[in-house]
């Protein structure tokens, strides 16, 4: 029997948009559509070595100026090409400028040939985990303006030798970590505010979730935290509204609702980010799916 896991977080609905340089106008339309339709999040993948993509941080800044309420995040930012102290200031600055609408998704790095070609450091998977740990420490220290003195960290991969703190962000920016392997999942449980994977990249899809949740939970408890301190988010790259159900988020609205509510109540996944880059799908997701999933989950939790 599958263990039921509901960490009780509020539900978030959003999009996972391809930052196409050639289709820049469409990218902006998708973000504005999400904002106007009442979705919670717009996120963009980050591959700075990919010449067909817009630079993600520039895109986030531009979209923040063209939207009013939707929150924004890289999904996930390529840490080897984004120095953590500078990234911390960039995130805090955009958070203040946007009225507290920036979240921070981080990845340890992938596509190392591309990273190295852009001048980034090539790391092994184990080194990437250690570097991410150091980076998150620096980022949070830069944001911590209540502590006196400069930020000091003599790390193996990143150093801070008295960097001045600030600015503080407008709200407590969560750090969501893109993780798949054992050490990264443990790091997520130890220090992350959220786990942000893509369902298509999990080895067994939804069936991977009990084992992964257990690993994150165990690491959280070992670090003196609660498993509920780590929000579980999920990207769905291949989605479609269709008359007949063919698979996960490929079918009629009722099927989407049942599947997403099940992910919340059985596996603790409470943020859903859809790909597809389609305006009509975005609007329908916001208008028909999101409210229905909220109703089902609230009822099952006894909140309705």
């Amino acid at each position: 029997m599958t263990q039921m896991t509901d960490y009780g977080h509020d539900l978030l609905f959003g999009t996972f948009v391809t930052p196409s340089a050639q289709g820049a106008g469409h990218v902006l339309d998708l973000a504005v559509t999400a904002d106007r339709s009442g979705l919670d999040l717009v996120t963009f993948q980050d591959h700075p070595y990919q010449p067909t993509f817009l630079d993600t941080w520039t895109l986030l800044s531009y979209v923040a100026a063209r939207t009013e309420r939707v929150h924004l995040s890289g999904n996930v930012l390529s840490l080897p090409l984004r120095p953590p102290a500078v990234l911390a200031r960039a995130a805090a600055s955009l958070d203040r400028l946007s009225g507290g609408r920036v979240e921070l998704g981080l990845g340890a790095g992938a596509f190392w040939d591309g990273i190295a070609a852009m001048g980034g450091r090539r790391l092994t998977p184990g080194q990437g985990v250690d570097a991410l740990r150091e980076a998150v420490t620096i980022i949070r220290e830069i944001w911590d303006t209540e502590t006196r003195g400069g930020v000091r960290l003599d790390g193996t991969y990143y150093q801070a030798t008295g960097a001045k703190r600030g600015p503080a962000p407008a709200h407590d920016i969560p750090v969501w970590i893109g993780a798949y392997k054992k050490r990264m999942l443990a790091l997520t449980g130890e220090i992350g505010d959220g786990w942000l994977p893509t369902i298509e990249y999990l080895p067994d899809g939804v069936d991977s979730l009990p084992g992964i949740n257990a690993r994150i939970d165990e690491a959280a408890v070992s670090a003196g935290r609660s498993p509920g301190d780590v929000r579980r988010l999920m990207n769905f790259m291949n989605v479609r509204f269709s008359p007949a159900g063919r698979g996960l988020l490929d079918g009629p609205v009722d099927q989407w609702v049942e599947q997403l509510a099940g992910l919340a109540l059985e596996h603790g996944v409470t943020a859903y980010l859809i790909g597809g880059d389609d305006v009509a799908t975005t609007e329908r997701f916001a208008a028909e799916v999101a409210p229905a999933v909220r109703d089902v989950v609230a009822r099952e939790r006894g909140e309705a």
Side-chain angles (χ1 to χ4, degrees):
M1 181 175 177
T2 300
Q3 182 178 354
M4 306 288 278
T5 305
D6 178 7
Y7 302 98
H9 295 117
D10 58 322
L11 304 186
L12 301 176
F13 297 83
T15 54
F16 181 36
V17 179
T18 307
S20 167
Q22 188 169 359
H26 182 59
V27 172
L28 182 60
D29 287 344
L30 287 163
V32 170
T33 297
D35 186 48
R36 291 177 178 169
S37 63
L39 290 178
D40 304 293
L41 279 167
V42 173
T43 71
F44 304 99
Q45 56 188 291
D46 181 42
H47 299 285
Y49 36 80
Q50 172 55 267
T52 63
F53 284 176
L54 298 163
D55 172 68
T56 296
W57 199 264
T58 305
L59 177 58
L60 288 167
S61 302
Y62 190 80
V63 168
R66 294 293 301 272
T67 53
E68 297 178 356
R69 56 167 303 282
V70 75
H71 285 231
L72 306 166
S73 180
N75 187 350
V76 288
L77 294 172
S78 179
L79 184 60
L81 290 172
R82 300 195 180 276
V86 177
L87 179 58
R89 287 219 168 92
S93 299
L94 188 57
D95 196 52
R96 294 176 77 97
L97 288 166
S98 66
R101 294 192 287 124
V102 171
E103 323 295 358
L104 190 63
L106 287 180
F111 306 102
W112 291 102
D113 288 345
I115 289 170
M118 292 284 285
R121 179 166 38 190
R122 187 188 296 271
L123 301 177
T124 66
Q127 291 172 332
V129 175
D130 295 335
L132 182 60
R133 180 189 302 277
E134 293 177 2
V136 172
T137 300
I138 289 175
I139 288 167
R140 287 178 170 153
E141 288 289 313
I142 291 287
W143 291 341
D144 177 13
T145 56
E146 300 297 315
T147 300
R148 296 177 62 87
V151 177
R152 297 189 179 277
L153 177 77
D154 185 17
T156 302
Y157 304 96
Y158 298 109
Q159 294 79 38
T161 55
K164 296 188 182 301
R165 299 172 185 271
H171 82 301
D172 290 333
I173 298 177
V175 177
W176 299 333
I177 297 175
Y180 297 92
K181 301 290 181 64
K182 292 180 179 179
R183 283 194 65 202
M184 279 288 287
L185 292 167
L187 181 69
T188 301
E190 183 183 346
I191 68 171
D193 300 307
W195 174 52
L196 178 52
T198 297
I199 192 73
E200 287 86 356
Y201 295 164
L202 298 182
D204 298 308
V206 172
D207 292 338
S208 301
L209 293 176
I212 289 174
N213 275 332
R215 186 171 296 277
I216 293 173
D217 293 352
E218 180 182 347
V221 171
S222 295
R225 311 175 73 206
S226 165
D229 291 341
V230 186
R231 178 190 280 280
R232 317 301 154 106
L233 308 94
M234 189 68 69
N235 298 315
F236 305 86
M237 296 181 66
N238 303 314
V239 304
R240 179 175 57 172
F241 289 110
S242 55
R246 295 183 175 86
L248 184 62
L249 302 197
D250 184 352
V253 167
D254 288 351
Q255 177 181 298
W256 282 50
V257 172
E258 180 181 358
Q259 290 171 340
L260 293 181
L263 284 170
L265 297 167
E266 297 170 26
H267 301 293
V269 177
T270 50
Y272 320 103
L273 307 168
I274 62 165
D277 300 325
D278 182 68
V279 168
T281 300
T282 300
E283 291 175 334
R284 195 170 185 187
F285 183 53
E288 301 180 36
V289 176
V293 176
R294 292 188 200 278
D295 287 346
V296 171
V297 172
R299 186 168 60 250
E300 292 296 320
R301 288 175 171 173
E303 299 170 350

